[in-house]
Amino acid sequence: MSDRKTALVLSAHAADFVWRCGGAIALHQKLGYDVTVVCLSFGERGESARLWKDGKTLTEVKSIRRKEAENAAKALNVHDLQFFDLGDYPLVVDDQNKMRLVDVLRAVQPKFMLSHSKYDPYNTDHMYTSELALEVRMIAQAWGHNPGEKVLGAPQLYLFEPHQTEQMGWKPDVFLDITEVWDQKRAAIECMEGQHHLWDYYTNVAENRGNHFRRNSGGQAGGRPAKYAEGFQSVFPRTVDEL
Amino acid sequence: MSDRKTALVLSAHAADFVWRCGGAIALHQKLGYDVTVVCLSFGERGESARLWKDGKTLTEVKSIRRKEAENAAKALNVHDLQFFDLGDYPLVVDDQNKMRLVDVLRAVQPKFMLSHSKYDPYNTDHMYTSELALEVRMIAQAWGHNPGEKVLGAPQLYLFEPHQTEQMGWKPDVFLDITEVWDQKRAAIECMEGQHHLWDYYTNVAENRGNHFRRNSGGQAGGRPAKYAEGFQSVFPRTVDEL
Amino acid sequence: MSDRKTALVLSAHAADFVWRCGGAIALHQKLGYDVTVVCLSFGERGESARLWKDGKTLTEVKSIRRKEAENAAKALNVHDLQFFDLGDYPLVVDDQNKMRLVDVLRAVQPKFMLSHSKYDPYNTDHMYTSELALEVRMIAQAWGHNPGEKVLGAPQLYLFEPHQTEQMGWKPDVFLDITEVWDQKRAAIECMEGQHHLWDYYTNVAENRGNHFRRNSGGQAGGRPAKYAEGFQSVFPRTVDEL
Amino acid sequence: MSDRKTALVLSAHAADFVWRCGGAIALHQKLGYDVTVVCLSFGERGESARLWKDGKTLTEVKSIRRKEAENAAKALNVHDLQFFDLGDYPLVVDDQNKMRLVDVLRAVQPKFMLSHSKYDPYNTDHMYTSELALEVRMIAQAWGHNPGEKVLGAPQLYLFEPHQTEQMGWKPDVFLDITEVWDQKRAAIECMEGQHHLWDYYTNVAENRGNHFRRNSGGQAGGRPAKYAEGFQSVFPRTVDEL
Amino acid sequence: MSDRKTALVLSAHAADFVWRCGGAIALHQKLGYDVTVVCLSFGERGESARLWKDGKTLTEVKSIRRKEAENAAKALNVHDLQFFDLGDYPLVVDDQNKMRLVDVLRAVQPKFMLSHSKYDPYNTDHMYTSELALEVRMIAQAWGHNPGEKVLGAPQLYLFEPHQTEQMGWKPDVFLDITEVWDQKRAAIECMEGQHHLWDYYTNVAENRGNHFRRNSGGQAGGRPAKYAEGFQSVFPRTVDEL
Amino acid sequence: MSDRKTALVLSAHAADFVWRCGGAIALHQKLGYDVTVVCLSFGERGESARLWKDGKTLTEVKSIRRKEAENAAKALNVHDLQFFDLGDYPLVVDDQNKMRLVDVLRAVQPKFMLSHSKYDPYNTDHMYTSELALEVRMIAQAWGHNPGEKVLGAPQLYLFEPHQTEQMGWKPDVFLDITEVWDQKRAAIECMEGQHHLWDYYTNVAENRGNHFRRNSGGQAGGRPAKYAEGFQSVFPRTVDEL
C-alpha cells in the first residue's frame, strides 16, 4: 500500500460516478489521492434506453457501457476502476459479492467514501446501494472479520447529488469547488454518448452549485469566485480542531 | 480592526455560553481568534432559582449573575463580553437593540457565529435568540443597511448543544476536540455558583462527546484520543476545496 | 388552594375545548380534578359563519358564542371557565394579557396542560396559541417572576387533536378512554348550535379513536373495549417508575 | 369584478416574483387569468448590492427597483402590480398593512396564491412573508371580518422555488410547463439589471425543471417534451374528481 | 390492449383495496378506466381472526377470503382481480413473482398506481408492499428488461389511507370525491363479513374525508358539497399546464 | 405460564441489553416481572476488538462474550437469557430463526418489548434488529399463525438508547428512574471487561438522564430526586384512563 491518501466511490450503475462526483474524483486525484471507483452494475437494462432502441443485444449494451465508463474514468484520472457486473433493475448483491466489496474497502482504506442518497423512489437500486455502503463499511470495521487484516477506520460517507434532490430528501451540507477540474468532468460527461440529454443538465447543476458555493463563502462581500461546484450530504459528523 | 480572526457568540442568558461552547471559545482564543460574547440578558428571572430562594433582590441577582459571567469569561479568555440587559422569561429585543446587535456583527466581522438550537419547548427565549441570530446576520449582510459600512460576509452559524438534545431536534454534525482547554472550561463552569447541579452534568457531556469524537475520527482503529469535546450543528453548508 | 388535582386548557377560540378535549375534561373532573378552561377569544369573527349569515352584530355573536361555551362547560362539569376576549382572526395577546395568563397558571398549578397543535396552516391563531402555551409555562416556572409566589412545576403539555391531523403534522402518542363520559361530551357538542356540521364529524372521530385505543391496548387478543376515545400528542417526555 | 379567473402573488421583495414564478404568471395570463402581484418591499436595502456600490441613494435605489419590477411585470403581462413599500431587511408588516392585504385578497378572490418557502435561514423576510400569507388568507376567510363583504374561499397556496431549495426544506410536488411563455420570462429576467449574475442561474433552473417535467410525465417512453418548467410546493391538499 | 385508460392497485392482503381505495376504483371504472387489482395474499393468517376463532382450516380461510374479495370487486366493478397467493405475516415475494408483477404492470400500462403507506410499524407486510411497488415500477420502466416489450411510462404512485394515519407518517395531498359511488363502496365493505368491526369505522373515515374535501374546496364560502371522499398521498410530483 | 408480568428484550449483540436497558431489567425484576433477554449474536466479530487484538480465536471470543453476558444477566437478575448465536457484522436471521423468535414471543407474552433504534448508520445490525422486532411482533399477533396457540396482544415496543442518539434520530419520550437498582446496573456494566472504555460513558449517561428525569418531573420546584435514569422512545401510542 502506498502512502497516498485514498477515496472510494460506490456507484450502482456505470455512469453514476460521472454525473454525481466526477469533479470530486478529478480534484482529489490532483490533490494526491488514489480514487477507486466500484460500479456494481453497468446500468445495462435500466439506463441504456437509447442502445436498446437501436436494437443492441445485452452483451453489446454492457460492452458499450463499460467502454464509456472506462473512457470517463480516464478523463477523470481515476486510479482504479472495478466492475462487479451484478445486474441492474433490480441490482442484487449476494453474500459473496458483499464480502468482495469488504475486501476492496480494506485494501483501499479510504479516507472518505462516496455513494447514493438514502431515499430514491425513482430508483430502488440507488437506495439499496446506499444501505449497502453502510453495511460493508460496518463489516470492514469489525476486528473479528478476517482477523489479522487491517481494519477500516471511520471514513466519512458522503452522499452525492441525486437527480431531483428534493424528492430524495437530499440536503447538501458541503460544497466542493471543482472549477479547476471542470474541463475534465465535462470531458468525462461527453463520454456518456447514450445519455446526451444529461450533458447540459449536469453542466447547469455544476454552474448553479458554483453559485451556492459563492453564496456560502462570502457572497457579494468577497466570496471565492468558484464557477463550478459539487454538493454532498455527510452521513457522519465531522471531528475538528477548529470551527 | 486587527488582523486576528474573530467569532461571535449570541447567548440568551448570561450562563449559556459557558456550558454550551466554553471549550470552543477558549480553544479559538488559543488559536488566535478574538471571540466576542453577547449576553442578551442575565437570565436573572428564569435561571437563578437559588438566588431567589436566598431572598436576593432583582438588582442583586443581576449583579451576581454578571459577576459570574465575567469570571467565567476571564477563565475562557474571552476577548470581549457584552451585556445587553434586555430581560428574560420572556426575552424581548426591540428594534433599537436589534440594530445595536447588527452594529456588533459588522464591527466584529465574525468568521463564524454560535447560538441556540432552532427549537426548544422548555425555553422559548432560546428559540427566539436562534431566530434573531438569523435575522441580524441577514440585516448585517445588506449593502443598503447603513451604506458605506463594511457589510458582513457569510459566516457559518453553529447551533451549540442544548439541554436535552433530542427534545430540541438538535443533531450535531461537527465535534470539536477541547481536551487541551478542558481545565479552562471546567474552571469557567465552576464560576457558575448558582447552578452547582450542572457542573457534573456538563462534565459528563464533554466526556461523552469526547467518545463521539473518537468514534467518528477512527474508532478503535486509531482515532484521535480526544478526552473532551463539544458538538455543534451547522445551519449552512460548508464550501471546501478538499473533502 | 384546594387539595384536588388540577388541569388547564388553553383554547384559542370558545369552542375548541369542546371538540378537541371535552372528554378529557369531563373524565378528569370525574377523577377528582379541577379543570380550568381559558378561552382567549370567542372565535367571533372566524368561527361563527352561520351567525354572521343570519345578520347578527359583533356583540350578539360574542354573546351567543359565550352562552354556547358556558353551556358546554356545564355539560362537561368544567370547574372554572374564563374568557379573555382578546379577538380572533387574528388573535393577538399583548404583554399584559400574557402576564394575566401566567397568573392563572400559577394560581391553578395544573398537573397537565392542554392546547393546540404546533403547526396549522389553516388557522394561524391555533399555532400562535400553542407557542404561547410554551412561553407562559416557561415564565410561570421562573423563580424571579413575581418572587415569593409559588412557581410552576413541569406540567406536561398535551396537544389536542386538530382538524385534519395529517396536515398539521400531529401524531398522537396517547389515547384516553372517554367511554364513560361520552354522553357528556356529546351533550357539550350539541351546545354548539352554530357548528351543527361538526357534530357527527367529532362523533366519528371519537368512535375511530376508540378503535385505535382497542388496537393499541391488546387488539383482538383482549384489548380494553373502549367505544370512544381522544388522542393527544405529548410535548415533553414522561418520567416514570415502571414502564 | 370580472368573470376572469384570478391569482395572487405575494412577493417579499420586488424581484422575487420574476425569478420564482414569472413563468406561472405569464402562462396564466395567457390562459385567461388576471394575476395580481403584491411586492411588500422593493428589496432596496438587501437585494440591490450593485446599486449601493454605485453610490445610489435610498430614493434612487427604490425608484430603480420599482422601474425594473414594472418592466418585468409588463413583460409577463401582469394584470395588476402593487407596491406596499414597507421596507426590507427586516420586512415588517404592521396591523394596518395586514388589513390592507386582506382587502386585496378579498377584492381579487384568487383561485390560487403564490408565495415563499416555509423556511429560509438565509432570508428571514422570506419566511415571514410565507407566514403572513397564511395569516391574511385566514382573516379573509372570516365571515366576521368586515361583515357583508364577500369572504375568501379556500385557494391553494403554492410555495415557489427558493434559492438553494434543499437548505429551505422545500420539495416541489407540481411542475408547470412554461415553454410557451419562456421568452416572456427571460425578457422579464433581463429587466433585473442589478442582478445580472442570476440571469443564467434561473435559466438553468428552468431548463432543469423542464427535465424534471419530462421525467415525471412519461420519461423516454413518451413524456411531454417540455423545455422549460417551474416547480411548486402545495401547502394544502387538492380536492379532485379523478386522480 | 383496449383504448381505455387503466389503473393498478397493489394490495398486500385481500381486503385492503376495499377499505382504502374502493371509492377510487368504482369511480374510475365509471369514468371509463379499466382497474386491475392485485392481491399479493389473502390475509389469511393475519387478518382473519374471526375465521380462525371459528375453527376454520387454512384452506377454508383462504377460500372464504377469496370469495369476499371477489364479491367486493364485483360491487366495485373491478375490471380484473388477480390473486398471487404468496402468504402473509410475513408476506414474501420471490424473484419469480416479482417478475410476474412486472409483467402485469407492462400489460396494464396503468395511468396511476395505488398502494400502501411508506411506514407501518403495526404491519410490516404493508411497508414491504409499498417498497415493492417502487421496485417493480422501476423494473417495468427499463428498456433492457425483456427488450421489445412496451416499457412503462411514469405513472403516479398514490399511497392510500392506512389505519391510524399519524402513526404511519401518512399525509394526504389529494382528496377524491366518491359521493356518487359511495353506495358501491359501502356494498363492497359489507362483503367483508369477517371484519364487521371495520364497517362503521371506514364509513366514518369517508364522511370525515368528505368534510376535508369541503374544507379544501371552498369551505362555507361555496365548496363542493361532497359527502364522502378518500385521501391519497402522492409519491411523485405532478406535471401540469395550469395550476 | 406463571401469573407474573413479563417483558422481552431483543438485543442484536450480547452486550447491548446491559448498556441500554440494564436498569429497566433490574427494576422490573424487582417490581415482579419476569424479564427474558434474547441475544441474537454474541457481537463476536464487530464488538470484541480487544479480544481479537489479544489473539483470541472465534470460539474463544464467543465463549468469553457469552460468559460476560451471563454474568451481567445475573447481576441484573434476568429471568431467562437466550443466545441465538446467529453471527454478527452482518447479523442475518433466516426464516427458521424468525419463527423461533415468534415462538419465544408467544411463550413469554410480554407486557412490553425493548429493542434498538429505528435508524443507525454506524451499525446496520441494530436497525435490522429493530425492523425484525416489528415483524415478529406482527406474526405473533396473527390468529392464523400456528392456530390454537395463544396469540400475542399489543405490547409496547420501547426503543432503548443508542450510542450517539441524535445521529440515530432517536428521541426519548419516557424516562425511568433506576436509582434504586443503579448498583446492579453498574455491576452488570463491569462484567463487560472487553469494553472498559464504555463504563464511565454509560455511567455519565445514567446521571444525565437522571437530570432529565428531574427536569421533567418538577424541576427545582420539587421534582423527584432521581439520581440515575434511562430513556426510551415508544413506537406505539399509549392507551390510558387518566392523563
Side-chain angles (χ1 to χ4, degrees):
Chain A
M1 210 171 64
S2 84
D3 285 349
R4 292 166 60 92
K5 288 183 284 187
T6 55
L8 179 75
V9 181
L10 191 53
S11 181
H13 311 109
D16 288 324
F17 73 92
V18 181
W19 320 108
R20 316 202 176 294
C21 60
I25 293 170
L27 185 68
H28 286 81
Q29 283 290 145
K30 190 166 269 184
L31 289 167
Y33 284 70
D34 284 345
V35 182
T36 297
V37 176
V38 173
C39 297
L40 296 173
S41 78
F42 295 107
E44 60 269 23
R45 294 190 192 278
E47 310 202 333
S48 309
R50 179 170 303 189
L51 299 171
W52 291 105
K53 290 180 188 171
D54 288 352
K56 297 285 188 274
T57 64
L58 181 59
T59 309
E60 289 168 331
V61 173
K62 285 166 68 166
S63 164
I64 291 166
R65 294 280 291 181
R66 170 193 283 268
K67 194 68 208 155
E68 286 182 359
E70 285 171 348
N71 290 341
K74 206 165 176 180
L76 298 172
N77 202 20
V78 166
H79 173 70
D80 184 16
L81 176 65
Q82 303 191 18
F83 298 106
F84 272 43
D85 191 11
L86 302 176
D88 70 329
Y89 284 61
L91 168 67
V92 180
V93 182
D94 61 18
D95 286 351
Q96 189 181 341
N97 280 292
K98 204 175 276 181
M99 293 312 151
R100 182 179 161 202
L101 201 50
V102 173
D103 290 345
V104 172
L105 258 175
R106 286 204 163 169
V108 170
Q109 295 283 339
K111 193 185 147 215
F112 60 86
M113 300 167 66
L114 288 158
S115 195
H116 294 266
S117 62
K118 192 184 162 198
Y119 181 63
D120 189 337
Y122 294 86
N123 196 313
T124 57
D125 286 0
H126 289 169
M127 44 186 174
Y128 176 74
T129 300
S130 189
E131 282 173 33
L132 182 70
L134 291 176
E135 189 178 2
V136 294
R137 179 182 181 274
M138 176 190 79
I139 300 172
Q141 290 175 323
W143 283 79
H145 177 80
N146 294 345
E149 286 186 6
K150 178 168 164 41
V151 302
L152 185 66
Q156 178 59 274
L157 173 60
Y158 291 107
L159 308 181
F160 46 54
E161 177 155 351
H163 209 79
Q164 301 194 70
T165 56
E166 305 88 357
Q167 308 305 326
M168 317 318 185
W170 178 86
K171 179 179 170 182
D173 64 342
V174 52
F175 291 115
L176 179 73
D177 181 354
I178 60 164
T179 308
E180 63 175 302
V181 294
W182 170 250
D183 291 346
Q184 285 176 263
K185 176 160 184 178
R186 177 71 197 196
I189 283 175
E190 294 186 5
C191 298
M192 299 292 122
E193 292 171 15
Q195 290 164 299
H196 231 289
H197 60 295
L198 293 178
W199 294 11
D200 286 350
Y201 185 91
Y202 282 101
T203 300
N204 286 352
V205 165
E207 286 175 14
N208 288 12
R209 294 297 175 196
N211 175 292
H212 296 178
F213 190 103
R214 296 191 299 275
R215 273 288 283 256
N216 287 291
S217 64
Q220 298 189 59
R224 156 88 63 88
K227 285 189 60 180
Y228 301 95
E230 286 176 345
F232 300 95
Q233 178 180 322
S234 313
V235 171
F236 302 101
R238 290 178 299 133
T239 54
V240 303
D241 296 311
E242 180 177 340
L243 290 175
Chain B
M1 210 173 66
S2 84
D3 285 349
R4 292 166 61 92
K5 287 183 282 186
T6 55
L8 179 75
V9 181
L10 192 53
S11 181
H13 312 108
D16 288 325
F17 73 92
V18 181
W19 320 107
R20 314 203 176 293
C21 61
I25 293 170
L27 185 68
H28 285 81
Q29 283 289 144
K30 190 167 267 183
L31 288 167
Y33 284 69
D34 283 344
V35 183
T36 297
V37 176
V38 174
C39 296
L40 296 173
S41 78
F42 294 107
E44 61 269 21
R45 295 190 191 279
E47 312 202 333
S48 309
R50 179 170 303 190
L51 298 172
W52 292 104
K53 290 180 190 173
D54 288 352
K56 296 285 188 274
T57 66
L58 181 60
T59 308
E60 288 167 331
V61 172
K62 285 166 68 168
S63 165
I64 291 166
R65 293 282 292 181
R66 172 193 281 268
K67 195 67 208 156
E68 286 182 359
E70 285 171 348
N71 290 342
K74 206 164 175 181
L76 298 171
N77 200 21
V78 167
H79 173 70
D80 184 17
L81 176 65
Q82 303 190 18
F83 297 107
F84 272 43
D85 191 12
L86 303 176
D88 69 329
Y89 284 62
L91 168 65
V92 180
V93 182
D94 61 18
D95 286 351
Q96 190 181 339
N97 278 293
K98 205 175 275 181
M99 293 313 150
R100 182 179 162 202
L101 201 50
V102 172
D103 291 344
V104 173
L105 259 174
R106 286 202 165 171
V108 170
Q109 294 284 338
K111 194 184 148 213
F112 62 84
M113 301 166 65
L114 289 159
S115 195
H116 294 267
S117 64
K118 193 184 161 197
Y119 181 64
D120 188 338
Y122 293 87
N123 196 314
T124 58
D125 286 359
H126 289 169
M127 46 185 172
Y128 176 74
T129 300
S130 190
E131 282 173 33
L132 182 71
L134 291 175
E135 189 178 2
V136 294
R137 181 182 181 274
M138 175 190 78
I139 300 172
Q141 290 175 324
W143 282 79
H145 177 81
N146 294 345
E149 287 185 7
K150 179 167 165 42
V151 303
L152 185 67
Q156 178 61 273
L157 174 60
Y158 291 107
L159 309 181
F160 45 53
E161 177 156 352
H163 208 80
Q164 299 195 72
T165 58
E166 306 89 358
Q167 309 304 327
M168 317 316 184
W170 177 86
K171 179 180 170 183
D173 64 341
V174 52
F175 290 115
L176 180 72
D177 181 353
I178 60 164
T179 308
E180 62 174 305
V181 294
W182 170 251
D183 291 346
Q184 285 176 263
K185 176 160 183 177
R186 177 72 197 194
I189 284 175
E190 296 186 4
C191 297
M192 298 293 121
E193 292 171 15
Q195 291 164 297
H196 231 288
H197 59 294
L198 293 177
W199 293 13
D200 286 351
Y201 184 91
Y202 282 101
T203 300
N204 286 353
V205 165
E207 286 175 16
N208 288 13
R209 293 299 175 194
N211 175 292
H212 296 178
F213 190 104
R214 296 191 298 275
R215 272 288 282 254
N216 287 290
S217 64
Q220 298 189 60
R224 156 87 64 88
K227 286 189 58 180
Y228 301 95
E230 285 176 345
F232 300 95
Q233 178 179 323
S234 312
V235 171
F236 303 101
R238 290 178 298 132
T239 54
V240 303
D241 295 310
E242 182 177 341
L243 290 176
Chain C
M1 209 172 66
S2 84
D3 285 349
R4 292 167 60 92
K5 286 183 285 186
T6 55
L8 179 75
V9 181
L10 192 53
S11 181
H13 311 109
D16 288 325
F17 73 92
V18 181
W19 320 109
R20 314 203 177 294
C21 61
I25 293 170
L27 185 68
H28 286 81
Q29 284 290 145
K30 189 166 268 184
L31 289 167
Y33 284 69
D34 283 344
V35 182
T36 297
V37 176
V38 173
C39 296
L40 295 174
S41 78
F42 294 107
E44 61 268 22
R45 295 190 191 279
E47 311 202 333
S48 310
R50 180 171 302 190
L51 298 172
W52 291 105
K53 290 180 187 171
D54 289 351
K56 297 286 189 273
T57 64
L58 182 60
T59 309
E60 288 168 332
V61 173
K62 286 166 67 168
S63 165
I64 291 166
R65 294 281 291 181
R66 170 193 283 268
K67 193 69 209 154
E68 287 181 358
E70 285 170 348
N71 290 342
K74 207 165 175 180
L76 298 171
N77 201 19
V78 166
H79 173 70
D80 184 16
L81 175 65
Q82 302 191 17
F83 298 106
F84 272 43
D85 191 11
L86 302 176
D88 70 329
Y89 284 62
L91 168 66
V92 179
V93 182
D94 61 19
D95 286 352
Q96 190 181 339
N97 280 291
K98 204 174 276 180
M99 293 311 150
R100 183 179 160 201
L101 201 50
V102 173
D103 290 345
V104 172
L105 259 174
R106 286 204 164 169
V108 170
Q109 294 282 340
K111 193 183 148 215
F112 62 84
M113 300 167 66
L114 288 159
S115 195
H116 294 266
S117 64
K118 192 185 161 196
Y119 181 63
D120 188 339
Y122 294 86
N123 196 313
T124 58
D125 285 0
H126 289 169
M127 45 185 172
Y128 177 74
T129 300
S130 189
E131 283 172 34
L132 183 71
L134 292 175
E135 189 178 1
V136 294
R137 179 183 182 274
M138 175 191 79
I139 300 172
Q141 291 175 324
W143 283 79
H145 177 81
N146 294 345
E149 287 185 8
K150 179 166 162 44
V151 302
L152 185 68
Q156 179 60 273
L157 173 59
Y158 291 107
L159 308 181
F160 45 54
E161 178 156 350
H163 208 80
Q164 300 195 73
T165 56
E166 305 88 357
Q167 309 304 327
M168 318 316 184
W170 178 86
K171 179 180 170 182
D173 64 341
V174 52
F175 290 116
L176 180 72
D177 182 354
I178 60 164
T179 308
E180 62 174 303
V181 295
W182 170 249
D183 290 346
Q184 285 176 263
K185 177 162 183 176
R186 177 71 197 195
I189 282 176
E190 294 185 5
C191 298
M192 298 292 121
E193 292 172 15
Q195 291 165 298
H196 230 289
H197 59 294
L198 293 178
W199 294 11
D200 286 351
Y201 185 92
Y202 282 101
T203 300
N204 285 353
V205 165
E207 286 175 15
N208 288 13
R209 293 297 176 197
N211 175 291
H212 296 177
F213 190 103
R214 295 191 299 275
R215 272 288 282 256
N216 287 290
S217 63
Q220 297 189 60
R224 157 89 63 88
K227 285 189 60 180
Y228 300 96
E230 285 176 345
F232 299 95
Q233 178 179 323
S234 312
V235 171
F236 302 100
R238 290 179 298 132
T239 54
V240 303
D241 295 310
E242 180 176 341
L243 289 176
Chain D
M1 210 173 66
S2 84
D3 284 350
R4 293 166 60 92
K5 287 182 283 187
T6 54
L8 179 75
V9 181
L10 192 53
S11 180
H13 311 109
D16 288 324
F17 73 92
V18 180
W19 319 108
R20 315 204 176 293
C21 61
I25 293 170
L27 186 69
H28 285 81
Q29 283 290 145
K30 190 167 265 183
L31 289 167
Y33 284 69
D34 283 345
V35 182
T36 297
V37 175
V38 173
C39 296
L40 296 174
S41 78
F42 294 107
E44 60 269 21
R45 293 190 193 280
E47 310 201 334
S48 310
R50 179 170 304 191
L51 298 172
W52 291 105
K53 290 181 189 173
D54 288 352
K56 297 286 190 272
T57 65
L58 181 60
T59 309
E60 288 168 332
V61 172
K62 286 166 68 167
S63 165
I64 291 166
R65 294 281 292 181
R66 170 192 282 268
K67 194 67 209 158
E68 287 181 0
E70 285 170 348
N71 290 342
K74 206 165 175 180
L76 298 171
N77 201 20
V78 167
H79 173 69
D80 184 17
L81 176 64
Q82 302 190 18
F83 297 106
F84 272 42
D85 192 12
L86 303 176
D88 70 328
Y89 284 61
L91 168 66
V92 179
V93 182
D94 61 19
D95 286 352
Q96 190 182 338
N97 279 293
K98 205 176 274 183
M99 293 312 151
R100 183 178 160 201
L101 200 51
V102 172
D103 291 344
V104 172
L105 258 175
R106 287 204 163 168
V108 169
Q109 294 282 340
K111 193 183 148 216
F112 62 84
M113 301 166 65
L114 288 159
S115 195
H116 293 266
S117 63
K118 193 184 161 197
Y119 181 63
D120 189 337
Y122 294 87
N123 195 314
T124 57
D125 286 359
H126 289 169
M127 46 185 172
Y128 176 75
T129 301
S130 189
E131 283 172 34
L132 183 70
L134 291 176
E135 187 177 4
V136 293
R137 179 183 182 273
M138 175 190 79
I139 300 172
Q141 290 175 324
W143 283 79
H145 177 81
N146 293 345
E149 287 185 6
K150 179 167 165 41
V151 303
L152 184 67
Q156 179 59 274
L157 173 61
Y158 291 107
L159 308 182
F160 45 56
E161 178 156 350
H163 208 80
Q164 300 196 72
T165 57
E166 305 89 357
Q167 308 305 326
M168 318 315 184
W170 178 86
K171 180 179 171 181
D173 64 342
V174 51
F175 290 115
L176 180 72
D177 181 353
I178 61 163
T179 308
E180 62 175 303
V181 295
W182 170 251
D183 291 346
Q184 285 177 263
K185 177 160 183 178
R186 177 70 197 196
I189 283 174
E190 294 186 5
C191 298
M192 299 294 122
E193 292 171 16
Q195 290 164 298
H196 231 288
H197 60 293
L198 293 177
W199 294 12
D200 287 351
Y201 185 92
Y202 281 101
T203 299
N204 286 353
V205 165
E207 287 175 14
N208 288 12
R209 292 298 176 197
N211 175 292
H212 296 177
F213 190 104
R214 296 191 298 275
R215 272 289 282 257
N216 286 290
S217 64
Q220 296 189 61
R224 157 87 63 87
K227 285 189 61 180
Y228 301 95
E230 286 176 345
F232 300 95
Q233 178 180 323
S234 312
V235 171
F236 302 101
R238 290 178 299 131
T239 54
V240 303
D241 296 310
E242 181 176 341
L243 290 176
Chain E
M1 210 174 65
S2 84
D3 285 348
R4 293 167 59 94
K5 286 182 285 187
T6 54
L8 179 75
V9 181
L10 192 54
S11 181
H13 311 109
D16 288 324
F17 72 92
V18 181
W19 320 107
R20 316 203 175 293
C21 62
I25 292 170
L27 185 68
H28 285 83
Q29 283 290 145
K30 189 167 268 184
L31 288 167
Y33 283 69
D34 283 345
V35 183
T36 297
V37 176
V38 173
C39 296
L40 296 173
S41 78
F42 294 107
E44 60 269 22
R45 296 192 190 278
E47 310 201 335
S48 309
R50 178 169 304 191
L51 299 171
W52 292 106
K53 290 180 189 173
D54 288 351
K56 297 285 188 276
T57 65
L58 181 60
T59 308
E60 288 168 330
V61 173
K62 285 167 68 167
S63 165
I64 291 167
R65 294 280 293 180
R66 169 193 282 269
K67 193 69 208 155
E68 286 181 359
E70 285 171 348
N71 291 342
K74 206 166 177 180
L76 298 172
N77 201 21
V78 167
H79 173 70
D80 184 18
L81 175 64
Q82 303 190 18
F83 297 107
F84 272 42
D85 192 11
L86 303 176
D88 70 328
Y89 284 61
L91 168 66
V92 179
V93 182
D94 61 18
D95 286 351
Q96 190 181 340
N97 279 293
K98 204 175 277 182
M99 292 311 151
R100 182 179 162 202
L101 200 50
V102 172
D103 291 344
V104 173
L105 257 175
R106 286 204 163 168
V108 170
Q109 295 282 338
K111 192 183 149 218
F112 61 85
M113 301 166 66
L114 288 159
S115 195
H116 294 266
S117 64
K118 194 184 161 196
Y119 182 63
D120 188 338
Y122 293 87
N123 196 313
T124 57
D125 285 0
H126 288 169
M127 47 184 171
Y128 177 74
T129 300
S130 189
E131 283 173 32
L132 182 71
L134 291 175
E135 188 177 2
V136 293
R137 179 183 181 274
M138 176 190 79
I139 300 171
Q141 290 175 323
W143 283 80
H145 177 82
N146 294 345
E149 286 185 7
K150 179 167 163 41
V151 301
L152 184 67
Q156 179 59 275
L157 173 61
Y158 291 107
L159 309 181
F160 45 54
E161 179 156 349
H163 209 81
Q164 300 195 71
T165 57
E166 305 89 358
Q167 307 304 326
M168 318 316 184
W170 178 86
K171 179 179 170 181
D173 64 341
V174 52
F175 291 115
L176 180 73
D177 181 354
I178 61 163
T179 308
E180 63 174 301
V181 295
W182 170 251
D183 291 347
Q184 285 177 264
K185 177 160 182 177
R186 177 71 198 195
I189 283 175
E190 294 185 5
C191 299
M192 298 294 120
E193 292 172 15
Q195 290 163 299
H196 231 289
H197 60 293
L198 292 178
W199 294 12
D200 287 350
Y201 185 93
Y202 282 101
T203 299
N204 286 353
V205 165
E207 286 175 14
N208 287 13
R209 292 298 175 196
N211 174 293
H212 296 178
F213 190 103
R214 296 191 298 276
R215 273 288 283 255
N216 287 290
S217 64
Q220 297 189 59
R224 155 88 63 87
K227 285 188 59 180
Y228 301 95
E230 286 176 345
F232 300 95
Q233 178 179 322
S234 313
V235 170
F236 302 101
R238 291 177 299 131
T239 55
V240 303
D241 296 310
E242 182 177 340
L243 289 176
Chain F
M1 209 174 65
S2 84
D3 285 349
R4 292 168 59 92
K5 287 183 285 187
T6 54
L8 179 76
V9 180
L10 192 53
S11 180
H13 312 108
D16 289 323
F17 72 93
V18 180
W19 320 108
R20 314 202 177 294
C21 61
I25 293 170
L27 185 68
H28 285 82
Q29 283 289 145
K30 188 167 269 184
L31 288 167
Y33 283 70
D34 283 345
V35 183
T36 297
V37 176
V38 173
C39 296
L40 296 173
S41 79
F42 295 107
E44 61 268 24
R45 294 189 191 280
E47 311 202 334
S48 310
R50 179 170 303 191
L51 299 171
W52 292 104
K53 290 180 189 173
D54 288 351
K56 297 285 189 272
T57 65
L58 182 59
T59 308
E60 288 168 331
V61 172
K62 286 167 69 169
S63 164
I64 292 167
R65 293 282 291 180
R66 171 193 281 269
K67 194 68 207 156
E68 286 181 359
E70 286 171 346
N71 290 342
K74 206 165 176 181
L76 298 172
N77 200 20
V78 167
H79 172 70
D80 184 17
L81 175 65
Q82 303 189 19
F83 297 106
F84 271 44
D85 191 11
L86 303 176
D88 69 329
Y89 284 62
L91 168 66
V92 179
V93 181
D94 61 19
D95 286 351
Q96 190 181 340
N97 279 293
K98 204 175 278 182
M99 293 311 150
R100 182 179 161 203
L101 200 50
V102 172
D103 291 345
V104 172
L105 257 175
R106 287 204 163 168
V108 170
Q109 295 282 339
K111 191 183 150 218
F112 61 85
M113 301 166 65
L114 288 159
S115 194
H116 294 266
S117 63
K118 192 184 162 197
Y119 181 64
D120 189 337
Y122 294 86
N123 196 315
T124 58
D125 286 359
H126 288 169
M127 47 185 171
Y128 177 74
T129 300
S130 189
E131 283 173 32
L132 182 71
L134 291 175
E135 189 177 3
V136 294
R137 181 183 180 274
M138 176 189 79
I139 300 172
Q141 290 175 323
W143 283 79
H145 177 82
N146 295 344
E149 286 185 8
K150 178 167 165 39
V151 301
L152 185 67
Q156 178 59 274
L157 173 60
Y158 291 107
L159 309 181
F160 45 55
E161 178 156 350
H163 208 80
Q164 300 195 69
T165 57
E166 305 89 356
Q167 308 304 327
M168 317 317 185
W170 178 86
K171 180 180 169 181
D173 64 341
V174 52
F175 290 114
L176 180 73
D177 182 355
I178 60 164
T179 308
E180 63 175 301
V181 295
W182 170 250
D183 290 347
Q184 284 177 264
K185 177 161 183 177
R186 177 71 196 195
I189 283 175
E190 294 185 6
C191 298
M192 298 294 122
E193 291 171 16
Q195 290 165 298
H196 231 288
H197 58 295
L198 293 177
W199 293 12
D200 286 350
Y201 185 91
Y202 282 100
T203 300
N204 286 352
V205 165
E207 286 175 14
N208 288 11
R209 293 298 176 196
N211 175 293
H212 296 179
F213 190 103
R214 296 191 298 275
R215 272 288 282 254
N216 286 290
S217 64
Q220 297 188 59
R224 155 88 64 88
K227 285 188 61 181
Y228 301 95
E230 285 176 346
F232 300 95
Q233 179 180 320
S234 313
V235 171
F236 302 101
R238 291 178 299 132
T239 53
V240 303
D241 295 310
E242 181 177 341
L243 289 176

